[in-house]
Amino acid sequence: MKQQVLFIQGGGDEGYEEDALLVVSLQTALGATYQVHYPRMPSNKALPDFGWLQQIHQEIMLLPNQIILVAHSLGASMLLKYLSEKQAPKNIAGIFLLATPFWSGDENWVQGLKLPDDFPGKLPDKITAFLYHCRDDDVVPFEQLARYQQLLPQAAARSIESGGHQFNHDLSRVAADIKSL
């Protein structure tokens, strides 16, 4: 049976289409022994989390045990929110978070995206986590990586010199870390 990977897209009107190139890169670098699932996330603006937490839960439940979770940008922050607020229903082999924004502020629109203050202690025990961020990301400030490094000291952090928000559509470094599990 192939190792199952769930990729959660980034946000924005074109997030699904833009991240499709990341998924192709990841699947190519991982090879035939992995299967990358790439569902389209909802955009229900009536819900504070746009309906993403429920969709993430449904997608995880569809996959067999020992899944690998990869998420980009808004998807990465929503995956952390899901894992810290819900009982993780499956045995997760690892989480790989790309260009993860750290939401803050008092605006109404950001409240459904913010992580609880105690989120690090609510993540599943002994989960292998990796953080990736390009120094030249012009969407999510690179400094956000340092914030997550402080809060998740057990996570391996990968600072990448260039690649922008879309990592130059090259997730070979992520694939290498996944294969190291």
Side-chain angles (χ1 to χ4, degrees):
M1 178 180 237
K2 292 182 179 188
Q3 175 65 57
Q4 303 297 302
V5 178
L6 175 62
F7 190 104
I8 306 297
Q9 72 180 65
D13 293 336
E14 303 297 321
Y16 184 80
E17 291 76 13
E18 290 172 358
D19 283 359
L21 293 173
L22 293 176
V23 172
V24 169
S25 170
L26 183 62
Q27 181 66 73
T28 300
L30 287 172
T33 57
Y34 292 82
Q35 181 176 6
V36 180
H37 300 270
Y38 184 47
R40 182 182 293 270
M41 298 307 287
S43 60
N44 185 343
K45 294 183 174 136
L47 296 173
D49 68 357
F50 309 116
W52 284 40
L53 296 183
Q54 181 60 36
Q55 184 73 26
I56 290 170
H57 176 75
Q58 289 173 357
E59 298 298 334
I60 289 174
M61 294 302 293
L62 289 174
L63 298 175
N65 283 338
Q66 284 300 316
I67 62 173
I68 295 166
L69 301 172
V70 181
H72 179 237
S73 195
L74 174 63
S77 63
M78 296 308 289
L79 179 59
L80 279 176
K81 186 171 178 66
Y82 170 78
L83 291 172
S84 65
E85 291 181 1
K86 310 288 184 198
Q87 177 76 27
K90 299 280 184 173
N91 191 4
I92 298 168
I95 60 172
F96 298 80
L97 306 170
L98 317 171
T100 311
F102 194 90
W103 302 101
S104 62
D106 296 325
E107 299 92 346
N108 280 341
W109 69 268
V110 81
Q111 299 312 306
L113 307 178
K114 288 171 61 173
L115 292 165
D117 290 338
D118 60 349
F119 87 92
K122 293 185 173 186
L123 293 174
D125 290 334
K126 298 177 185 170
I127 193 164
T128 301
F130 288 82
L131 306 166
Y132 304 84
H133 214 116
C134 294
R135 290 186 176 278
D136 64 348
D137 188 330
D138 62 351
V139 177
V140 177
F142 178 74
E143 295 75 30
Q144 307 243 328
L145 175 64
R147 184 104 186 241
Y148 280 109
Q149 284 179 281
Q150 283 181 322
L151 295 167
L152 302 171
Q154 75 281 13
R158 307 284 194 246
S159 170
I160 302 166
E161 281 304 311
S162 65
H165 190 61
Q166 293 299 126
F167 294 79
N168 284 335
H169 308 295
D170 179 4
L171 294 187
S172 56
R173 179 175 285 174
V174 177
D177 287 334
I178 288 173
K179 289 179 175 182
S180 76
L181 292 178

Short mmCIF file of all heavy atoms in Angstrom, two decimals, residues 67-126:
data_model
loop_
_atom_site.label_atom_id
_atom_site.label_comp_id
_atom_site.label_asym_id
_atom_site.label_seq_id
_atom_site.Cartn_x
_atom_site.Cartn_y
_atom_site.Cartn_z
N ILE A 67 -0.76 8.65 8.10
CA ILE A 67 -0.79 9.65 7.04
C ILE A 67 0.25 10.74 7.31
O ILE A 67 0.66 10.97 8.45
CB ILE A 67 -2.19 10.27 6.88
CG1 ILE A 67 -2.64 10.99 8.15
CG2 ILE A 67 -3.20 9.23 6.46
CD1 ILE A 67 -3.92 11.77 8.01
N ILE A 68 0.66 11.37 6.25
CA ILE A 68 1.57 12.50 6.31
C ILE A 68 0.77 13.72 5.90
O ILE A 68 0.06 13.69 4.89
CB ILE A 68 2.77 12.27 5.36
CG1 ILE A 68 3.59 11.08 5.86
CG2 ILE A 68 3.61 13.53 5.24
CD1 ILE A 68 4.58 10.55 4.85
N LEU A 69 0.88 14.78 6.68
CA LEU A 69 0.13 16.00 6.41
C LEU A 69 1.09 17.10 5.96
O LEU A 69 2.06 17.41 6.65
CB LEU A 69 -0.62 16.45 7.67
CG LEU A 69 -1.61 15.44 8.24
CD1 LEU A 69 -2.14 15.90 9.59
CD2 LEU A 69 -2.75 15.20 7.26
N VAL A 70 0.82 17.68 4.80
CA VAL A 70 1.60 18.77 4.26
C VAL A 70 0.62 19.91 4.00
O VAL A 70 -0.47 19.69 3.46
CB VAL A 70 2.30 18.38 2.93
CG1 VAL A 70 3.12 19.53 2.38
CG2 VAL A 70 3.15 17.13 3.12
N ALA A 71 1.00 21.12 4.40
CA ALA A 71 0.09 22.25 4.21
C ALA A 71 0.87 23.52 3.91
O ALA A 71 1.96 23.72 4.43
CB ALA A 71 -0.79 22.42 5.44
N HIS A 72 0.26 24.36 3.09
CA HIS A 72 0.91 25.60 2.65
C HIS A 72 0.12 26.82 3.11
O HIS A 72 -1.10 26.87 2.97
CB HIS A 72 1.00 25.59 1.12
CG HIS A 72 1.63 26.82 0.54
ND1 HIS A 72 1.00 27.61 -0.37
CD2 HIS A 72 2.84 27.40 0.77
CE1 HIS A 72 1.78 28.62 -0.70
NE2 HIS A 72 2.91 28.51 -0.02
N SER A 73 0.82 27.78 3.68
CA SER A 73 0.30 29.11 4.00
C SER A 73 -0.96 29.02 4.87
O SER A 73 -0.89 28.45 5.97
CB SER A 73 0.06 29.88 2.70
OG SER A 73 -0.11 31.25 2.92
N LEU A 74 -2.07 29.57 4.42
CA LEU A 74 -3.30 29.50 5.22
C LEU A 74 -3.62 28.06 5.59
O LEU A 74 -4.02 27.77 6.72
CB LEU A 74 -4.48 30.12 4.45
CG LEU A 74 -5.85 29.98 5.11
CD1 LEU A 74 -5.90 30.71 6.45
CD2 LEU A 74 -6.94 30.46 4.18
N GLY A 75 -3.40 27.15 4.68
CA GLY A 75 -3.63 25.73 4.96
C GLY A 75 -2.80 25.22 6.11
O GLY A 75 -3.25 24.41 6.93
N ALA A 76 -1.54 25.69 6.21
CA ALA A 76 -0.66 25.28 7.30
C ALA A 76 -1.16 25.79 8.64
O ALA A 76 -1.19 25.06 9.63
CB ALA A 76 0.76 25.76 7.04
N SER A 77 -1.59 27.05 8.68
CA SER A 77 -2.10 27.58 9.95
C SER A 77 -3.42 26.91 10.33
O SER A 77 -3.67 26.64 11.51
CB SER A 77 -2.25 29.11 9.89
OG SER A 77 -3.19 29.51 8.92
N MET A 78 -4.24 26.60 9.34
CA MET A 78 -5.51 25.93 9.65
C MET A 78 -5.28 24.48 10.08
O MET A 78 -6.01 23.96 10.91
CB MET A 78 -6.45 26.00 8.44
CG MET A 78 -6.87 27.43 8.09
SD MET A 78 -7.53 28.38 9.49
CE MET A 78 -9.10 27.58 9.71
N LEU A 79 -4.26 23.84 9.54
CA LEU A 79 -3.93 22.48 9.98
C LEU A 79 -3.48 22.51 11.44
O LEU A 79 -3.91 21.67 12.24
CB LEU A 79 -2.85 21.86 9.09
CG LEU A 79 -2.41 20.46 9.48
CD1 LEU A 79 -3.58 19.47 9.45
CD2 LEU A 79 -1.29 19.98 8.54
N LEU A 80 -2.64 23.47 11.81
CA LEU A 80 -2.24 23.60 13.22
C LEU A 80 -3.45 23.86 14.11
O LEU A 80 -3.55 23.31 15.20
CB LEU A 80 -1.23 24.73 13.39
CG LEU A 80 0.21 24.43 13.05
CD1 LEU A 80 1.06 25.68 13.18
CD2 LEU A 80 0.76 23.31 13.93
N LYS A 81 -4.35 24.70 13.65
CA LYS A 81 -5.56 25.00 14.42
C LYS A 81 -6.39 23.72 14.60
O LYS A 81 -6.84 23.42 15.70
CB LYS A 81 -6.37 26.09 13.71
CG LYS A 81 -7.57 26.59 14.49
CD LYS A 81 -8.16 27.82 13.80
CE LYS A 81 -9.39 28.33 14.50
NZ LYS A 81 -9.14 28.86 15.84
N TYR A 82 -6.57 22.99 13.52
CA TYR A 82 -7.32 21.73 13.60
C TYR A 82 -6.67 20.77 14.58
O TYR A 82 -7.34 20.21 15.46
CB TYR A 82 -7.42 21.09 12.21
CG TYR A 82 -7.97 19.69 12.26
CD1 TYR A 82 -9.33 19.45 12.41
CD2 TYR A 82 -7.12 18.59 12.19
CE1 TYR A 82 -9.83 18.17 12.49
CE2 TYR A 82 -7.61 17.30 12.26
CZ TYR A 82 -8.96 17.09 12.42
OH TYR A 82 -9.46 15.80 12.51
N LEU A 83 -5.36 20.56 14.45
CA LEU A 83 -4.67 19.59 15.30
C LEU A 83 -4.67 20.01 16.78
O LEU A 83 -4.62 19.16 17.66
CB LEU A 83 -3.23 19.38 14.82
CG LEU A 83 -3.09 18.67 13.48
CD1 LEU A 83 -1.64 18.71 13.02
CD2 LEU A 83 -3.61 17.25 13.55
N SER A 84 -4.71 21.31 17.04
CA SER A 84 -4.69 21.78 18.43
C SER A 84 -6.08 21.88 19.05
O SER A 84 -6.20 21.94 20.27
CB SER A 84 -3.97 23.13 18.53
OG SER A 84 -4.67 24.14 17.84
N GLU A 85 -7.11 21.88 18.22
CA GLU A 85 -8.46 22.03 18.76
C GLU A 85 -9.28 20.74 18.70
O GLU A 85 -10.28 20.62 19.39
CB GLU A 85 -9.21 23.13 18.00
CG GLU A 85 -8.66 24.51 18.26
CD GLU A 85 -9.42 25.60 17.54
OE1 GLU A 85 -10.41 25.31 16.84
OE2 GLU A 85 -9.01 26.77 17.68
N LYS A 86 -8.88 19.81 17.88
CA LYS A 86 -9.63 18.56 17.72
C LYS A 86 -8.77 17.37 18.13
O LYS A 86 -7.55 17.43 18.06
CB LYS A 86 -10.06 18.37 16.25
CG LYS A 86 -10.74 19.56 15.63
CD LYS A 86 -12.11 19.77 16.18
CE LYS A 86 -12.78 20.92 15.44
NZ LYS A 86 -13.90 21.45 16.13
N GLN A 87 -9.40 16.31 18.50
CA GLN A 87 -8.69 15.07 18.76
C GLN A 87 -8.24 14.50 17.43
O GLN A 87 -9.06 14.22 16.56
CB GLN A 87 -9.62 14.07 19.48
CG GLN A 87 -9.01 12.73 19.75
CD GLN A 87 -8.04 12.78 20.91
OE1 GLN A 87 -8.16 13.61 21.79
NE2 GLN A 87 -7.07 11.89 20.90
N ALA A 88 -6.95 14.35 17.23
CA ALA A 88 -6.45 13.83 15.96
C ALA A 88 -6.97 12.41 15.77
O ALA A 88 -6.67 11.52 16.56
CB ALA A 88 -4.93 13.86 15.92
N PRO A 89 -7.78 12.18 14.74
CA PRO A 89 -8.45 10.88 14.59
C PRO A 89 -7.59 9.77 14.01
O PRO A 89 -7.99 8.64 14.00
CB PRO A 89 -9.60 11.21 13.64
CG PRO A 89 -9.09 12.34 12.83
CD PRO A 89 -8.19 13.13 13.74
N LYS A 90 -6.43 10.09 13.52
CA LYS A 90 -5.59 9.09 12.87
C LYS A 90 -4.18 9.16 13.42
O LYS A 90 -3.77 10.13 14.04
CB LYS A 90 -5.52 9.36 11.36
CG LYS A 90 -6.85 9.32 10.65
CD LYS A 90 -7.23 7.90 10.38
CE LYS A 90 -8.53 7.89 9.58
NZ LYS A 90 -8.91 6.60 9.14
N ASN A 91 -3.43 8.13 13.14
CA ASN A 91 -2.02 8.12 13.49
C ASN A 91 -1.27 8.92 12.43
O ASN A 91 -1.16 8.51 11.29
CB ASN A 91 -1.53 6.67 13.54
CG ASN A 91 -0.16 6.58 14.14
OD1 ASN A 91 0.40 7.57 14.59
ND2 ASN A 91 0.38 5.38 14.16
N ILE A 92 -0.76 10.05 12.82
CA ILE A 92 -0.10 10.96 11.89
C ILE A 92 1.41 10.71 11.95
O ILE A 92 2.02 10.81 13.01
CB ILE A 92 -0.44 12.41 12.24
CG1 ILE A 92 -1.96 12.62 12.11
CG2 ILE A 92 0.33 13.38 11.36
CD1 ILE A 92 -2.45 13.91 12.70
N ALA A 93 1.98 10.41 10.80
CA ALA A 93 3.42 10.13 10.74
C ALA A 93 4.24 11.40 10.82
O ALA A 93 5.37 11.39 11.30
CB ALA A 93 3.74 9.37 9.46
N GLY A 94 3.70 12.52 10.35
CA GLY A 94 4.43 13.78 10.40
C GLY A 94 3.62 14.91 9.80
O GLY A 94 2.71 14.67 9.01
N ILE A 95 3.98 16.14 10.19
CA ILE A 95 3.35 17.32 9.59
C ILE A 95 4.45 18.20 9.01
O ILE A 95 5.52 18.37 9.61
CB ILE A 95 2.45 18.09 10.58
CG1 ILE A 95 3.23 18.60 11.78
CG2 ILE A 95 1.27 17.25 11.01
CD1 ILE A 95 2.43 19.53 12.67
N PHE A 96 4.19 18.76 7.85
CA PHE A 96 5.14 19.55 7.11
C PHE A 96 4.44 20.86 6.74
O PHE A 96 3.50 20.85 5.94
CB PHE A 96 5.60 18.77 5.87
CG PHE A 96 6.30 17.49 6.24
CD1 PHE A 96 5.56 16.36 6.59
CD2 PHE A 96 7.67 17.43 6.28
CE1 PHE A 96 6.19 15.18 6.98
CE2 PHE A 96 8.31 16.25 6.66
CZ PHE A 96 7.57 15.13 7.01
N LEU A 97 4.87 21.95 7.35
CA LEU A 97 4.18 23.23 7.25
C LEU A 97 5.03 24.22 6.44
O LEU A 97 6.17 24.50 6.80
CB LEU A 97 3.91 23.77 8.65
CG LEU A 97 3.16 22.82 9.58
CD1 LEU A 97 3.15 23.33 11.00
CD2 LEU A 97 1.75 22.56 9.08
N LEU A 98 4.45 24.75 5.38
CA LEU A 98 5.15 25.62 4.45
C LEU A 98 4.63 27.05 4.56
O LEU A 98 3.43 27.28 4.40
CB LEU A 98 4.94 25.14 3.01
CG LEU A 98 5.04 23.64 2.75
CD1 LEU A 98 4.60 23.32 1.34
CD2 LEU A 98 6.45 23.17 2.98
N ALA A 99 5.51 28.01 4.81
CA ALA A 99 5.15 29.44 4.83
C ALA A 99 3.92 29.69 5.70
O ALA A 99 2.93 30.26 5.26
CB ALA A 99 4.94 29.95 3.41
N THR A 100 4.00 29.28 6.94
CA THR A 100 2.84 29.34 7.84
C THR A 100 2.66 30.73 8.44
O THR A 100 3.53 31.22 9.15
CB THR A 100 3.02 28.33 8.99
OG1 THR A 100 3.39 27.06 8.44
CG2 THR A 100 1.75 28.19 9.80
N PRO A 101 1.52 31.37 8.18
CA PRO A 101 1.27 32.67 8.81
C PRO A 101 0.89 32.51 10.27
O PRO A 101 0.26 31.52 10.65
CB PRO A 101 0.11 33.25 8.00
CG PRO A 101 -0.58 32.07 7.42
CD PRO A 101 0.45 30.99 7.26
N PHE A 102 1.29 33.47 11.09
CA PHE A 102 0.89 33.51 12.49
C PHE A 102 -0.11 34.65 12.62
O PHE A 102 0.26 35.82 12.60
CB PHE A 102 2.09 33.73 13.42
CG PHE A 102 1.76 33.44 14.84
CD1 PHE A 102 1.92 32.17 15.36
CD2 PHE A 102 1.25 34.44 15.67
CE1 PHE A 102 1.60 31.90 16.68
CE2 PHE A 102 0.93 34.18 16.98
CZ PHE A 102 1.10 32.90 17.49
N TRP A 103 -1.38 34.29 12.71
CA TRP A 103 -2.45 35.29 12.72
C TRP A 103 -2.53 35.98 14.07
O TRP A 103 -2.48 35.34 15.10
CB TRP A 103 -3.79 34.63 12.39
CG TRP A 103 -3.78 33.94 11.06
CD1 TRP A 103 -3.64 32.60 10.83
CD2 TRP A 103 -3.87 34.55 9.78
NE1 TRP A 103 -3.65 32.35 9.49
CE2 TRP A 103 -3.79 33.53 8.81
CE3 TRP A 103 -4.02 35.87 9.35
CZ2 TRP A 103 -3.86 33.78 7.46
CZ3 TRP A 103 -4.09 36.12 7.99
CH2 TRP A 103 -4.01 35.07 7.06
N SER A 104 -2.68 37.29 14.02
CA SER A 104 -2.85 38.07 15.24
C SER A 104 -3.74 39.27 14.93
O SER A 104 -4.06 39.53 13.78
CB SER A 104 -1.49 38.53 15.78
OG SER A 104 -0.85 39.36 14.83
N GLY A 105 -4.10 39.98 15.96
CA GLY A 105 -4.94 41.17 15.78
C GLY A 105 -6.32 40.97 16.36
O GLY A 105 -6.71 39.87 16.74
N ASP A 106 -7.06 42.06 16.41
CA ASP A 106 -8.39 42.04 17.00
C ASP A 106 -9.52 42.14 15.97
O ASP A 106 -10.69 42.16 16.34
CB ASP A 106 -8.53 43.19 18.00
CG ASP A 106 -7.58 43.02 19.18
OD1 ASP A 106 -7.36 41.87 19.60
OD2 ASP A 106 -7.07 44.05 19.68
N GLU A 107 -9.16 42.22 14.70
CA GLU A 107 -10.19 42.33 13.66
C GLU A 107 -11.08 41.10 13.66
O GLU A 107 -10.62 39.98 13.91
CB GLU A 107 -9.54 42.50 12.28
CG GLU A 107 -8.68 43.72 12.14
CD GLU A 107 -7.21 43.45 12.49
OE1 GLU A 107 -6.91 42.39 13.07
OE2 GLU A 107 -6.38 44.32 12.20
N ASN A 108 -12.35 41.29 13.36
CA ASN A 108 -13.29 40.17 13.37
C ASN A 108 -12.87 39.06 12.40
O ASN A 108 -12.97 37.88 12.72
CB ASN A 108 -14.70 40.65 13.02
CG ASN A 108 -15.39 41.26 14.22
OD1 ASN A 108 -15.00 41.04 15.36
ND2 ASN A 108 -16.42 42.04 13.95
N TRP A 109 -12.39 39.44 11.20
CA TRP A 109 -12.10 38.43 10.19
C TRP A 109 -10.98 37.48 10.60
O TRP A 109 -10.92 36.35 10.12
CB TRP A 109 -11.76 39.09 8.85
CG TRP A 109 -10.45 39.82 8.84
CD1 TRP A 109 -10.25 41.14 9.12
CD2 TRP A 109 -9.18 39.27 8.53
NE1 TRP A 109 -8.92 41.45 9.01
CE2 TRP A 109 -8.23 40.33 8.65
CE3 TRP A 109 -8.72 38.01 8.17
CZ2 TRP A 109 -6.86 40.14 8.42
CZ3 TRP A 109 -7.36 37.83 7.94
CH2 TRP A 109 -6.45 38.88 8.06
N VAL A 110 -10.09 37.90 11.48
CA VAL A 110 -8.93 37.08 11.84
C VAL A 110 -9.23 36.14 13.01
O VAL A 110 -8.49 35.19 13.24
CB VAL A 110 -7.70 37.98 12.13
CG1 VAL A 110 -7.75 38.55 13.53
CG2 VAL A 110 -6.41 37.22 11.92
N GLN A 111 -10.32 36.35 13.72
CA GLN A 111 -10.60 35.58 14.93
C GLN A 111 -10.74 34.08 14.65
O GLN A 111 -10.29 33.26 15.45
CB GLN A 111 -11.84 36.13 15.65
CG GLN A 111 -11.68 37.57 16.11
CD GLN A 111 -10.38 37.85 16.84
OE1 GLN A 111 -10.06 37.18 17.81
NE2 GLN A 111 -9.63 38.83 16.36
N GLY A 112 -11.35 33.71 13.55
CA GLY A 112 -11.52 32.29 13.23
C GLY A 112 -10.26 31.62 12.71
O GLY A 112 -10.24 30.40 12.52
N LEU A 113 -9.20 32.40 12.51
CA LEU A 113 -7.95 31.86 11.98
C LEU A 113 -6.88 31.74 13.05
O LEU A 113 -5.92 30.97 12.90
CB LEU A 113 -7.42 32.76 10.85
CG LEU A 113 -8.38 33.07 9.72
CD1 LEU A 113 -7.74 34.02 8.71
CD2 LEU A 113 -8.86 31.81 9.05
N LYS A 114 -7.02 32.51 14.13
CA LYS A 114 -6.00 32.56 15.17
C LYS A 114 -5.90 31.24 15.93
O LYS A 114 -6.90 30.57 16.18
CB LYS A 114 -6.31 33.68 16.16
CG LYS A 114 -6.09 35.06 15.57
CD LYS A 114 -6.60 36.18 16.44
CE LYS A 114 -5.98 36.27 17.78
NZ LYS A 114 -6.42 37.49 18.51
N LEU A 115 -4.67 30.91 16.29
CA LEU A 115 -4.43 29.73 17.12
C LEU A 115 -4.67 30.08 18.58
O LEU A 115 -4.39 31.21 19.00
CB LEU A 115 -2.98 29.27 16.96
CG LEU A 115 -2.61 28.70 15.59
CD1 LEU A 115 -1.11 28.64 15.43
CD2 LEU A 115 -3.23 27.34 15.42
N PRO A 116 -5.15 29.14 19.37
CA PRO A 116 -5.27 29.41 20.81
C PRO A 116 -3.87 29.62 21.40
O PRO A 116 -2.88 29.06 20.91
CB PRO A 116 -5.93 28.15 21.37
CG PRO A 116 -5.88 27.12 20.31
CD PRO A 116 -5.60 27.80 19.01
N ASP A 117 -3.79 30.44 22.44
CA ASP A 117 -2.49 30.74 23.05
C ASP A 117 -1.74 29.49 23.48
O ASP A 117 -0.51 29.44 23.41
CB ASP A 117 -2.67 31.67 24.27
CG ASP A 117 -3.10 33.06 23.85
OD1 ASP A 117 -2.87 33.45 22.68
OD2 ASP A 117 -3.67 33.76 24.70
N ASP A 118 -2.47 28.48 23.91
CA ASP A 118 -1.84 27.25 24.40
C ASP A 118 -1.77 26.15 23.34
O ASP A 118 -1.64 24.98 23.67
CB ASP A 118 -2.58 26.76 25.64
CG ASP A 118 -4.05 26.44 25.37
OD1 ASP A 118 -4.57 26.80 24.28
OD2 ASP A 118 -4.68 25.84 26.25
N PHE A 119 -1.82 26.52 22.05
CA PHE A 119 -1.87 25.51 21.00
C PHE A 119 -0.70 24.53 21.02
O PHE A 119 -0.90 23.35 20.75
CB PHE A 119 -2.04 26.15 19.61
CG PHE A 119 -0.76 26.54 18.94
CD1 PHE A 119 -0.12 25.66 18.09
CD2 PHE A 119 -0.19 27.78 19.14
CE1 PHE A 119 1.07 26.01 17.46
CE2 PHE A 119 0.98 28.15 18.53
CZ PHE A 119 1.62 27.26 17.68
N PRO A 120 0.55 24.95 21.34
CA PRO A 120 1.63 23.96 21.29
C PRO A 120 1.40 22.76 22.21
O PRO A 120 1.71 21.62 21.84
CB PRO A 120 2.87 24.75 21.73
CG PRO A 120 2.56 26.17 21.37
CD PRO A 120 1.08 26.29 21.64
N GLY A 121 0.83 23.00 23.38
CA GLY A 121 0.57 21.91 24.32
C GLY A 121 -0.61 21.04 23.94
O GLY A 121 -0.81 19.98 24.53
N LYS A 122 -1.38 21.47 22.96
CA LYS A 122 -2.56 20.70 22.55
C LYS A 122 -2.33 19.88 21.28
O LYS A 122 -3.21 19.15 20.86
CB LYS A 122 -3.74 21.65 22.35
CG LYS A 122 -4.20 22.27 23.65
CD LYS A 122 -5.44 23.09 23.45
CE LYS A 122 -5.98 23.54 24.80
NZ LYS A 122 -7.27 24.21 24.66
N LEU A 123 -1.16 20.02 20.70
CA LEU A 123 -0.86 19.22 19.51
C LEU A 123 -0.64 17.77 19.91
O LEU A 123 -0.26 17.49 21.05
CB LEU A 123 0.38 19.78 18.81
CG LEU A 123 0.23 21.16 18.20
CD1 LEU A 123 1.58 21.67 17.68
CD2 LEU A 123 -0.80 21.17 17.09
N PRO A 124 -0.87 16.83 19.00
CA PRO A 124 -0.65 15.42 19.34
C PRO A 124 0.77 15.18 19.85
O PRO A 124 1.72 15.78 19.35
CB PRO A 124 -0.89 14.70 18.01
CG PRO A 124 -1.73 15.64 17.21
CD PRO A 124 -1.35 17.01 17.64
N ASP A 125 0.88 14.31 20.86
CA ASP A 125 2.19 13.99 21.43
C ASP A 125 3.10 13.33 20.41
O ASP A 125 2.65 12.57 19.56
CB ASP A 125 2.03 13.04 22.63
CG ASP A 125 1.38 13.71 23.82
OD1 ASP A 125 1.49 14.95 23.93
OD2 ASP A 125 0.77 13.00 24.63
N LYS A 126 4.37 13.63 20.55
CA LYS A 126 5.43 12.97 19.77
C LYS A 126 5.21 13.04 18.26
O LYS A 126 5.57 12.13 17.53
CB LYS A 126 5.59 11.53 20.21
CG LYS A 126 6.00 11.40 21.66
CD LYS A 126 6.07 9.96 22.09
CE LYS A 126 6.37 9.90 23.59
NZ LYS A 126 6.23 8.57 24.12
#
